[in-house]
Amino acid sequence: HDIIRTWYAIDACGNSVMAQQQITVTDCRPEVDISINPNPVCLDGSVTFDAVITGNYSNPIYRWQFFWNGTWVDVPGGNVIPFTKNNIKLSDGGRYRLLIADHIQNLGNFDCNTVSDEAELIILQPVAVELNESICDGDSYSVGTSTYTQAGTYQDILTGSNGCDSIVNLNLSIIPNTEGFLDTTICDGERILVGETSLNRDGQFVVHLPNAAGCDSTVTVRLRIQYPSFTTIRDTICEGSSVTIAGETYTSGGSYTQ
């Protein structure tokens, strides 16, 4: 900025003269551009606070600050460039800035120090996924590189799409396979359909079907074949009489088949 100084002089005769002096004041304080890397950062990760400084003091003093509860507070150990902070917690998220001065006594004097623009640190929290799954007895369920075959509650930590931990809580239940027994009789020449299996001969068979839950259902079938039976009836009647066999009435001599 410029400062203009003006002088006026008047002699005894009332003559006046004016003189001006223009002084240009240049801000000699350094320019600073701060960065936080990585940002966003995963919970429990590490970040590095760094700065690019143009026209720095010959013996600069640094102090990183964090905005907390409405005021700027010094970051413990934050007096170097670059500065690394480990084991990041949720409470570490927020606004940061850097103070630079030529002497430690001038760090808090805003007429003598340099204050950077602010940078905000963003904390990424782990993603929690709740899974309630059921599998058939004998099957398996995989989460990441873990494979489970027994009922129970399991937890796996995977890497999420944002590069941070993803916690998977699995509640796994086992659906038991079912068994059944079918004892039936069919006539010779007929067949019985069990699922997609067609049976038409005497014997015991094991058929595997999916049950209502989609798991294996084992059905044991005992099949009997009923063959036709033949009976010969010889009978004699008086002329004019009749005989009824199995609902059929006969009045004449001869051979009949039912």
Side-chain angles (χ1 to χ4, degrees), residues 233 235 237 241-252 255-258:
I233 300 175
D235 201 358
I237 61 174
S241 298
S242 64
V243 62
T244 300
I245 301 174
E248 293 289 338
T249 300
Y250 303 96
T251 59
S252 302
S255 297
Y256 304 93
T257 302
Q258 288 186 323

Side-chain angles (χ1 to χ4, degrees), residues 119-137:
E120 183 173 4
L121 175 62
I122 300 173
I123 312 297
L124 297 178
Q125 299 187 57
V127 177
V129 178
E130 302 292 333
L131 296 178
N132 292 290
E133 300 293 341
S134 299
I135 60 173
C136 299
D137 190 16

Side-chain angles (χ1 to χ4, degrees), residues 59-60 63 87 91 152 154 162 169 192 215 234 240 242 249-250 253:
N59 294 298
R63 179 170 294 165
N87 300 318
S91 58
Y154 306 94
N162 59 8
N169 295 312
I192 183 175
C215 299
R234 298 179 183 276
S242 64
T249 300
Y250 303 96

Side-chain angles (χ1 to χ4, degrees), residues 72-133:
W72 287 97
V73 297
D74 296 341
V75 177
N79 56 359
V80 294
I81 294 177
F83 166 63
T84 298
K85 187 174 178 63
N86 300 313
N87 300 318
I88 293 298
K89 306 302 180 186
L90 286 177
S91 58
D92 293 322
R95 297 151 53 192
Y96 288 82
R97 71 180 184 182
L98 176 65
L99 304 183
I100 308 175
D102 59 352
H103 193 278
I104 192 170
Q105 294 178 346
N106 290 331
L107 277 174
N109 186 344
F110 292 100
D111 291 329
C112 300
N113 68 5
T114 296
V115 182
S116 73
D117 291 335
E118 300 174 13
E120 183 173 4
L121 175 62
I122 300 173
I123 312 297
L124 297 178
Q125 299 187 57
V127 177
V129 178
E130 302 292 333
L131 296 178
N132 292 290
E133 300 293 341

Side-chain angles (χ1 to χ4, degrees), residues 141-242:
Y141 191 89
S142 296
V143 179
T145 58
S146 301
T147 300
Y148 303 104
T149 59
Q150 302 295 322
T153 300
Y154 306 94
Q155 184 177 88
D156 289 272
I157 299 179
L158 310 177
T159 300
S161 58
N162 59 8
C164 299
D165 287 345
S166 176
I167 301 174
V168 179
N169 295 312
L170 171 65
N171 182 27
L172 184 64
S173 59
I174 305 298
I175 302 173
N177 298 323
T178 56
E179 296 182 355
F181 184 80
L182 176 63
D183 189 347
T184 189
T185 301
I186 61 174
C187 296
D188 185 31
E190 296 181 339
R191 64 182 57 246
I192 183 175
L193 192 64
V194 182
E196 296 182 355
T197 301
S198 178
L199 303 174
N200 64 351
R201 57 188 177 85
D202 189 79
Q204 185 166 296
F205 309 92
V206 177
V207 181
H208 297 281
L209 307 172
N211 59 22
C215 299
D216 282 347
S217 173
T218 302
V219 180
T220 301
V221 181
R222 177 67 180 94
L223 183 61
R224 296 179 177 85
I225 304 300
Q226 180 68 53
Y227 295 96
S229 59
F230 298 91
T231 302
T232 300
I233 300 175
R234 298 179 183 276
D235 201 358
T236 302
I237 61 174
C238 298
E239 186 175 359
S241 298
S242 64

